[in-house]
Amino acid sequence: MLEDNINQIKTTVSQACQKVQRKTDSVKVIAVTKSVTSEEAEKLIPFGFTDFGENRTDHLLEKQAALKDYDITWHLIGRLQRRKVKDVINQVDYFHALENERLAAEIEKRAEHVIKCFVQVNVSQEEAKQGVLLDETNDFIEALAKYPLIEVVGLMTMAPFDGTETEIEEYFTQLAIKRDEIMALNWEHAPCKELSMGMTQDFEIAIKAGATHVRIGTAFFKD
Ligand SMILES: *Cc1c(COP(=O)(O)O)cnc(C)c1O
């Protein structure tokens, strides 16, 4: 049931925070609503969840229209095709999957205001996975300085589905170290304070490693 799932998530987040002496409110829970209808998503709002994540442009826009009476922060968390940029980029509060310069150029072209972006990093170097490699991250972010409408607010990653807890923690920690490194460069276009990592399977580990944004779908909406 939804209410049980919510309580479970809240407990897990606060316990994970306690273990590493972080404040519970230092972790933003993004409810990933991609598997449910707008009506289902709406039920989360009275419980205080108002950050919603979608990985498809059309679904995000549909839900946004259906829930327009609420003050929701919208996160586009998945791959964005260049031809879709114009439809959605001015509608989202955060884009979590910036990973190549052609996409950055298209965002710059279509943006009507500064767009808050996470750079997606393929920490585990899986072939099929999106994102820049850790080694390429500095150069990529430095190059984004030429797009004044792109602000790099942080880094995002996805852990391998079949990783062990130790491996996943290692990947998340590597991303946290990279975030610290970029932040220390004090680039005006890349404050890079945030870390978007952790899903249903691994958000506890992510919080331990310093996640500021966890993206949780299944744990909310499972039976
Ligand atoms: C679906 C999705 C999530 C949420 O995954 P769950 O395992 O359902 O919590 C998080 N991030 C991205 C990028 C996703 O596509």
Side-chain angles (χ1 to χ4, degrees):
M1 229 194 77
L2 187 66
E3 203 166 335
D4 297 331
N5 293 348
I6 287 172
N7 287 334
Q8 179 81 58
I9 291 167
K10 283 185 171 169
T11 306
T12 308
V13 169
S14 69
Q15 285 176 352
C17 284
Q18 256 172 22
K19 273 188 205 155
V20 291
Q21 284 154 25
R22 297 183 57 189
K23 292 192 177 134
T24 305
D25 65 7
S26 68
V27 179
K28 173 67 71 183
V29 175
I30 300 169
V32 177
T33 52
K34 67 187 180 195
S35 65
V36 297
T37 61
S38 302
E39 290 73 31
E40 289 297 311
E42 188 176 4
K43 292 180 188 160
L44 294 177
I45 299 171
F47 293 96
F49 294 97
T50 51
D51 280 72
F52 286 0
E54 285 282 330
N55 66 341
R56 287 188 43 172
T57 308
D58 46 349
H59 293 169
L60 186 145
L61 294 171
E62 277 167 35
K63 286 207 176 65
Q64 204 167 48
L67 301 173
K68 64 178 178 340
D69 294 339
Y70 298 101
D71 190 9
I72 291 169
T73 302
W74 292 96
H75 300 259
L76 185 62
I77 59 175
R79 182 195 293 266
L80 174 60
Q81 292 171 292
R82 270 185 304 140
R83 64 186 174 81
K84 299 265 182 77
V85 168
K86 63 176 182 312
D87 301 332
V88 78
I89 203 66
N90 293 297
Q91 308 295 118
V92 305
D93 296 291
Y94 293 91
F95 172 50
H96 289 244
L98 183 57
E99 54 127 27
N100 69 70
E101 224 184 303
R102 289 171 77 206
L103 182 58
E106 181 65 15
I107 292 173
E108 179 70 24
K109 183 173 159 191
R110 304 295 183 175
E112 291 160 5
H113 52 79
V114 173
I115 309 296
K116 293 183 163 71
C117 299
F118 287 82
V119 166
Q120 183 169 356
V121 183
N122 182 358
V123 184
S124 54
Q125 303 187 34
E126 289 161 278
E127 289 273 339
K129 196 159 266 178
Q130 284 210 92
V132 295
L133 298 175
L134 269 177
D135 286 352
E136 304 166 347
T137 306
N138 294 47
D139 287 349
F140 178 64
I141 295 178
E142 188 170 22
L144 295 175
K146 59 175 163 296
Y147 306 105
L149 296 179
I150 291 180
E151 179 182 355
V152 179
V153 297
L155 304 181
M156 178 274 211
T157 200
M158 293 173 77
F161 293 111
D162 56 359
T164 65
E165 194 171 325
T166 314
E167 285 164 353
I168 292 172
E169 186 172 346
E170 177 65 26
Y171 293 134
F172 287 160
T173 301
Q174 286 178 24
L175 193 72
I177 291 168
K178 180 55 76 182
R179 188 271 319 262
D180 293 345
E181 188 187 322
I182 304 285
M183 196 164 59
L185 292 168
N186 283 313
W187 285 331
E188 199 180 329
H189 71 292
C192 204
K193 296 195 174 103
E194 316 293 345
L195 272 178
S196 170
M197 57 191 194
M199 311 175 19
T200 293
Q201 298 300 333
D202 52 25
F203 70 90
E204 259 185 281
I205 309 172
I207 290 171
K208 194 170 159 199
T212 62
H213 293 68
V214 292
R215 309 177 309 269
I216 302 178
T218 310
F220 275 108
F221 300 111
K222 65 187 183 188
D223 290 332

